[in-house]
Amino acid sequence: PKRISIQHETKDELTKMAVTFNRMIGRLDANLERQKQFISDASHELKTPLTVIKSYADLLRRRGIQNAEITLEAIEAIHSEATRIQRMTERFLDLANTELEHDLDLISIHLASFCEKIFNQLKIAYKREIIFHYDNDALTIMADELKLKQVIIITIDNALKYSTDRIDVYLEDHEHNAVIRVVDYGIGIPHNEIENIFERFYRVDKARSRATGGTGLGLSIAKNIMKQHHGEIKVKSTEGEGTEVELHLPKTQKTD
Ligand code: ADP
């Protein structure tokens, strides 16, 4: 049989190994805790729409056949809550996807035309005004096209959801980064809440967010995607005046 030889380690080396080992266990513990918290929060979020669906299904069973009005009301409610669950589960998958570090599909992206195309689609979908400002037509970055589009959509969707006016988007050329700055003139975010909005499921106003179809996961997903791209997302806001969200992405370095 093969023998495993154990080398003689010095006390210092053993102490170092123990410290590293403890740190690894600590990290695993924290990850496990985060996962447990996620499962508990996600179940909680799914509970409300499922309860509504179940009560309407019960109502349909008892009185649906005789009463057309009740039938219609129940079908509407079930459809709308089922749509909500569908959107939520899609978000859960997006979140899981963006917590992994490695699966980016990087290509060179010409930002001005990329943004313009997305904004044109969103203007039609939301029937709202999005004004796009940019000076540098040559800005390019390396990014995963689908994921970048997702971050932009999450940010614009929020700007439109929490305001009623037009929004402005600026594409800016900073020293190391390309910056997409989304400015809305809506309800804003209280100063002491800004650090919380990137937490999973966190919503400043739960009822309002639910009414607009929010899940509280958008910004967590956006933050993960920005991190995967070695970028950053920054928020400035004044309650009652509006919000600015900046997406900072490393520029492609010129080789000439
Ligand atoms: P949601 O799906 O609820 O919009 P997000 O994770 O995208 O979830 O955002 C978290 C919370 O941050 C929102 O519920 C809202 O309270 C706040 N928020 C995000 N963007 C804006 C904005 N542009 N203006 C005002 N509040 C915002």
Side-chain angles (χ1 to χ4, degrees):
K2 246 191 192 167
R3 288 201 173 203
I4 301 168
S5 70
I6 300 175
Q7 283 180 7
H8 209 73
E9 310 286 352
T10 65
K11 196 166 168 239
D12 267 5
E13 278 167 323
L14 282 173
T15 314
K16 247 190 248 158
M17 276 163 70
V19 169
T20 311
F21 184 71
N22 281 338
R23 226 179 265 149
M24 275 164 62
I25 296 286
R27 224 176 290 145
L28 284 175
D29 259 359
N31 272 342
L32 196 65
E33 215 29 66
R34 241 177 101 72
Q35 284 190 23
K36 281 199 321 215
Q37 188 61 42
F38 176 76
I39 291 173
S40 143
D41 291 342
S43 316
H44 192 79
E45 293 290 326
L46 289 171
K47 233 174 172 169
T48 315
L50 282 172
T51 308
V52 177
I53 288 177
K54 192 150 177 287
S55 348
Y56 272 106
D58 281 343
L59 184 67
L60 268 184
R61 195 158 52 190
R62 282 184 288 113
R63 300 183 44 205
I65 294 174
Q66 311 94 308
N67 192 325
E69 213 174 306
I70 285 180
T71 306
L72 274 181
E73 183 190 327
I75 289 173
E76 276 309 314
I78 289 173
H79 187 267
S80 132
E81 296 301 312
T83 307
R84 186 172 168 73
I85 291 176
Q86 189 179 33
R87 200 168 35 227
M88 253 194 264
T89 46
E90 279 162 12
R91 287 287 209 211
F92 294 167
L93 290 177
D94 288 338
L95 189 68
N97 245 328
T98 56
E99 297 216 323
L100 303 173
E101 301 267 322
H102 322 285
D103 59 346
L104 286 189
D105 211 348
L106 294 179
I107 58 160
S108 172
I109 292 179
H110 176 256
L111 271 177
S113 57
F114 186 74
C115 288
E116 185 122 51
K117 204 164 137 201
I118 298 175
F119 300 156
N120 284 338
Q121 291 168 359
L122 292 177
K123 278 194 245 181
I124 295 169
Y126 286 76
K127 298 192 182 70
R128 292 273 299 275
E129 213 178 338
I130 302 171
I131 300 169
F132 185 32
H133 313 257
Y134 61 93
D135 294 329
N136 185 344
D137 192 26
L139 266 181
T140 58
I141 57 163
M142 291 300 288
D144 183 308
E145 210 174 359
L146 285 180
K147 288 198 163 137
L148 178 62
K149 184 170 179 184
Q150 195 176 8
V151 175
I152 295 175
I153 291 179
I154 287 169
T155 313
I156 302 272
D157 175 73
N158 278 341
L160 294 172
K161 253 185 342 200
Y162 302 108
S163 75
T164 49
D165 220 341
R166 71 150 210 250
I167 64 168
D168 287 291
V169 186
Y170 300 83
L171 174 59
E172 295 168 347
D173 185 1
H174 291 201
E175 193 182 354
H176 301 291
N177 293 329
V179 177
I180 301 170
R181 190 156 59 89
V182 179
V183 182
D184 71 60
Y185 312 96
I187 60 173
I189 303 163
H191 192 65
N192 58 338
E193 304 264 20
I194 289 184
E195 60 182 303
N196 301 328
I197 60 175
F198 294 101
E199 293 293 317
R200 299 185 304 201
F201 296 110
Y202 193 87
R203 286 162 281 185
V204 175
D205 178 346
K206 236 176 153 123
R208 185 186 181 114
S209 163
R210 186 178 153 77
T212 51
T215 56
L217 291 178
L219 285 177
S220 319
I221 295 168
K223 190 176 176 184
N224 286 343
I225 295 177
M226 293 306 287
K227 198 169 147 207
Q228 286 180 324
H229 283 86
H230 307 288
E232 216 184 331
I233 178 166
K234 297 182 184 177
V235 176
K236 278 186 242 158
S237 188
T238 310
E239 214 180 345
E241 284 183 23
T243 303
E244 280 192 34
V245 179
E246 291 182 354
L247 306 173
H248 290 246
L249 291 148
K251 284 192 289 195
T252 308
Q253 295 303 322
K254 287 214 169 66
T255 44
D256 55 351

